[in-house]
Amino acid sequence: MEDRRTETLLNKYLEGTATPQEAAAVEEWYLKFKDVERGEITDTFIETSTDRIWQRLEKQHGLPQYKRTISIKLWAAAAAVVVVVLGGLFYYSNRNSNPAPLLAKQADVAPGANKAVLTLADGRKISLNDARNGALAQQAGISISKTADGQLVYELKAGEKELDTKGFSYNTIETPRGGQYQVSLPDGTKVWLNAASSLSYPTTFAGQRQRMVQLTGEAYFEVAKDKQHPFRVKSKSQEIEVLGTHFNVNAYADEPAVKTALLEGSVKISAGTAAVVIRPGQQASLKNGSINVEEVNTSVMADWKDGRFRFKNEPLASILRKVSRWYDVEVVYSPGFKDMPTFTGSVSRLDNVSAVLNMLEETSDVKFSIEGKTIKVQ
């Protein structure tokens, strides 16, 4: 990559004038190369701009500080990624900084949002997207409330006592297609629920030997540590046992396998007579009763909770299943369509669906059309 193009792209990003493709490229480069250590920089522009980019991204993504020392050779390799973005989905063009969208003249579909329905143990249903912020209900000594930023919070209020119920009263939170929601369970465990998913959990964990929840669809868990009360997740023919950890479970009915990706801690996955323990950076896939373990980029597995789609050599069909759920659209393939290219790259989930489809079209021979809530693939 020429130094001038590098400087132009980084300046555009810092000034806020970069296109979504260019901004995604810079951020993808950061996430891939942030841990590289190096010697001294002699190029003043690169040294200054990379420091500013690091500071901005650390603030934007809530990431920890990293040592900012990278050799010129490593910088060149990293900067090249800004342009090609891992050889895949997005590219930087100095011919036109605002290329015309390929689907601009067609109907578009807005992204999903915080939408969910809470079903209480007594059968009452509360639409969380319609309910006012603040207290919603109280069960077993636990106060249930909705926050302004789209979270459902269970907490023991000062002066209240959590009831030691021995029964199996459960609450269920369900997201529709085109919806997502976050819930903080009574034990402090945080759960991010993706589109078309549901989570059932006890109204209280008090008096129970284990913390058992049931999932359909996809969720990211940050489990509160409690060695005396293991946390278990049941989902589509498997059970996950944890003590305190961060992991993502994809258990949609229309996916060929149940995938559990571990970011922190340790989990044991059981399915019938098969059982495995995975470590951070690994993913277990359950298919036809067998569990396969592989090394993966876990940031890609949990990208959705951070508001992004990230693909790494991902087949088109898999990408479009995600698009279908998040944008609540139907995907229809033209008769005889067989070519399933793979893609690597990143794009915001906050953009309209045309932004995702435009970028897929730019790097393949696949063409899309939007008709109402239907996406046609050719």
Side-chain angles (χ1 to χ4, degrees):
M1 177 178 175
E2 298 174 0
D3 292 340
R4 187 173 180 179
R5 291 181 68 195
T6 302
E7 184 171 341
T8 299
L9 180 56
L10 296 179
N11 271 331
K12 288 177 69 176
Y13 181 85
L14 292 170
E15 292 168 0
T17 60
T19 66
Q21 295 97 322
E22 293 164 350
V26 173
E27 294 186 9
E28 190 71 17
W29 160 77
Y30 168 75
L31 292 172
K32 183 171 179 61
F33 287 91
K34 61 181 169 38
D35 290 324
V36 179
E37 297 187 9
R38 43 142 161 97
E40 213 174 302
I41 286 181
T42 57
D43 187 308
T44 303
F45 167 75
I46 290 177
E47 182 176 20
T48 302
S49 62
T50 50
D51 276 350
R52 290 170 62 197
I53 289 172
W54 253 296
Q55 291 167 6
R56 173 175 169 175
L57 285 170
E58 284 159 356
K59 181 179 180 180
Q60 178 177 328
H61 294 286
L63 297 170
Q65 295 288 323
Y66 290 89
K67 294 181 180 179
R68 302 186 183 99
T69 54
I70 187 168
S71 68
I72 295 299
K73 287 184 178 180
L74 285 173
W75 161 259
V81 177
V82 178
V83 179
V84 299
V85 191
L86 308 179
L89 193 52
F90 314 124
Y91 66 91
Y92 166 68
S93 171
N94 57 11
R95 295 174 298 174
N96 183 356
S97 60
N98 292 289
L102 301 177
L103 302 173
K105 296 182 179 180
Q106 301 186 33
D108 211 343
V109 180
N114 288 326
K115 303 175 187 177
V117 173
L118 172 65
T119 303
L120 301 176
D122 60 7
R124 284 183 294 157
K125 293 182 180 292
I126 301 174
S127 173
L128 298 178
N129 36 308
D130 296 328
R132 293 183 178 181
N133 299 333
L136 299 177
Q138 186 165 322
Q139 294 180 317
I142 298 292
S143 174
I144 308 172
S145 60
K146 173 191 172 184
T147 66
D149 58 348
Q151 294 187 46
L152 186 65
V153 179
Y154 287 70
E155 60 182 341
L156 182 65
K157 292 290 187 180
E160 294 181 352
K161 182 178 180 181
E162 184 177 5
L163 302 181
D164 185 359
T165 59
K166 303 291 186 180
F168 294 93
S169 296
Y170 278 76
N171 285 358
T172 300
I173 180 172
E174 299 175 85
T175 57
R177 290 165 59 88
Q180 64 179 16
Y181 225 84
Q182 182 180 344
V183 57
S184 180
L185 298 179
D187 65 334
T189 291
K190 296 180 180 180
V191 185
W192 286 258
L193 206 61
N194 205 350
S197 303
S198 71
L199 183 75
S200 296
Y201 46 91
T203 54
T204 176
F205 290 119
Q208 301 191 31
R209 290 177 296 178
Q210 61 183 5
R211 298 168 289 167
M212 176 72 78
V213 302
Q214 188 157 346
L215 170 72
T216 61
E218 183 170 22
Y220 178 86
F221 292 83
E222 291 186 357
V223 179
K225 294 183 178 180
D226 184 350
K227 293 183 178 180
Q228 302 304 315
H229 302 89
F231 193 94
R232 299 177 186 272
V233 181
K234 282 188 174 182
S235 62
K236 194 181 175 183
S237 305
Q238 74 169 26
E239 183 175 308
I240 303 169
E241 178 183 351
V242 305
L243 296 177
T245 189
H246 298 183
F247 61 100
N248 189 81
V249 183
N250 183 320
Y252 286 111
D254 61 350
E255 292 292 340
V258 180
K259 296 181 179 180
T260 305
L262 183 63
L263 287 80
E264 178 183 307
S266 177
V267 300
K268 179 181 179 181
I269 301 165
S270 303
T273 58
V276 297
V277 176
I278 60 175
R279 63 175 186 272
Q282 291 185 328
Q283 175 178 270
S285 297
L286 171 63
K287 185 176 182 180
N288 299 326
S290 298
I291 303 176
N292 179 59
V293 177
E294 61 181 336
E295 303 290 332
V296 295
N297 181 346
T298 50
S299 65
V300 173
M301 302 300 118
D303 56 355
W304 61 269
K305 85 175 186 66
D306 297 321
R308 299 201 70 81
F309 288 113
R310 284 199 181 92
F311 315 124
K312 184 174 181 181
N313 297 325
E314 187 164 351
L316 177 63
S318 176
I319 293 173
L320 293 181
R321 286 196 296 270
K322 295 178 180 179
V323 168
S324 175
R325 288 189 287 260
W326 179 236
Y327 291 95
D328 188 16
V329 294
E330 180 184 4
V331 176
V332 177
Y333 294 88
S334 63
F337 184 90
K338 295 180 180 179
D339 184 25
M340 282 295 175
T342 60
F343 297 87
T344 296
S346 173
V347 61
S348 173
R349 278 177 28 127
L350 304 181
D351 292 335
N352 287 350
V353 71
S354 61
V356 181
L357 303 182
N358 283 333
M359 293 176 181
L360 294 173
E361 283 192 351
E362 288 173 356
T363 54
S364 73
D365 294 329
V366 181
K367 300 299 178 184
F368 303 94
S369 61
I370 303 172
E371 297 179 9
K373 297 282 283 185
T374 300
I375 295 173
K376 293 187 176 181
V377 188
Q378 299 177 343

